[in-house]
Structures are given as C-alpha cells and as structure tokens.
Amino acid sequence: MRRLRWLLVPILVVPLGWLLFTGFGRDPREVASPLIGQPAPSWSFSTLAGNLLSTDDLAGRPYVVNFWASWCGPCVDEHPILTGTHETFGDELTMVGVLYQDAATDAEAFLARYGDSGYAHVLDPDGRLAIDYGVTGPPETFFVDADGIIRAKQFGPLTDAIMAERLAVIGLDG
C-alpha cells in the first residue's frame, strides 16, 4: 500500500505542475476568438451622425471595429490611441466605433469631452453586432483585413505597442 501511495504522488503532481507552469506563461489579456481567420460579420447600422454605414462601405480596405461605451473607464484610456491611429492612417484604414450598451447622447458627450477625430461610431441598439462578434464587454477591438477577414482581436484597452502589432497583422506598418 505504501508503494502505491508513492506511485500516485507523481501521477497527480506532475500533471498539476505542468498545468500551472504552462498557464503562468500566458498573457491573460489574450482571449482566443473563433472569429480569427473568418469573414467579419456583415452589418448595416446608423451612425451617431445619422448616416447609414455597412460592411459594404468598408469593402476593399482594412478596418478596425472598436466596441466601446461612455461608462467604460478603460475606453477613456484607449481613446487617444484610437484617435491617433485614425489621424495617422485615415487614408489607408477605416476606423469604426460601435456603441456598446450605451445611449447616443452619452456617447456624444464622451466624444465632446475626450475628442472626436471624425471616424464613424455606429449604434447597436439591440446588441446584435456585439453578439455576432462575441463581445463580452468593452473595450474589445477587431482588426479586419482588406479582404474582410478578421485577423486579430484585442480584449481590453489598446496601447500604442498593441495597436502597432495588430495593424501589422492587417498589412499596415504602425
């Protein structure tokens, strides 16, 4: 019986140790998405400015879809990254903000306070687009190449380094 006990210890400890070892090496901000490598969902929504915007309007050039809300603290932190990217790559890249569980008036106040660089922000009143993208909460950002294929996702706020890395995946040198 004593011998069996010493045999069970490595059988239980080694797999547990391996699980802990491999888990500590992962970035907790990296959330896998089954959408990577898949065509981006098709949509057509009204913008805060009252215009209609759809994926058909975005065809042929890379675009970034950022789900955000005025009540989201990390969204405030990443807002300068998004506006700077739009100002730098506006001729090569389309930026789209998607209002996530928020009122249009609150979003307009947010943009008035923190700056509006002029890229479109669409309203997703029933949350359908967020569901199609598998969004769990803002901020979440998707990077779509010129062929309409999702190439990367960022869960949580963007930084300059993360933005440059994700833009490179869709063919832009950030």
Side-chain angles (χ1 to χ4, degrees), residues 15-137:
L16 180 62
W18 181 253
L19 179 67
L20 291 172
F21 176 74
T22 58
F24 285 125
R26 294 189 182 151
D27 185 348
R29 294 170 298 182
E30 290 291 328
V31 177
S33 172
L35 296 178
I36 304 299
Q38 300 297 316
S42 295
W43 49 266
S44 180
F45 289 104
S46 293
T47 67
L48 282 174
N51 303 317
L52 193 62
L53 182 66
S54 74
T55 48
D56 291 341
D57 300 322
L58 307 176
R61 68 187 272 167
Y63 61 95
V64 173
V65 179
N66 175 257
F67 290 84
W68 68 281
S70 63
W71 47 262
C72 164
C75 296
V76 173
D77 297 337
E78 78 171 4
H79 187 69
I81 309 295
L82 294 164
T83 57
T85 299
H86 175 68
E87 290 166 2
T88 303
F89 294 101
D91 294 336
E92 306 166 69
L93 174 73
T94 301
M95 303 284 293
V96 179
V98 180
L99 199 55
Y100 181 84
Q101 298 180 358
D102 205 354
T105 53
D106 293 338
E108 290 165 345
F110 177 99
L111 294 171
R113 180 175 184 180
Y114 297 108
D116 182 358
S117 65
Y119 64 87
H121 298 274
V122 299
L123 306 171
D124 184 17
D126 60 1
R128 184 179 46 171
L129 187 58
I131 291 169
D132 289 347
Y133 272 92
V135 172
T136 58

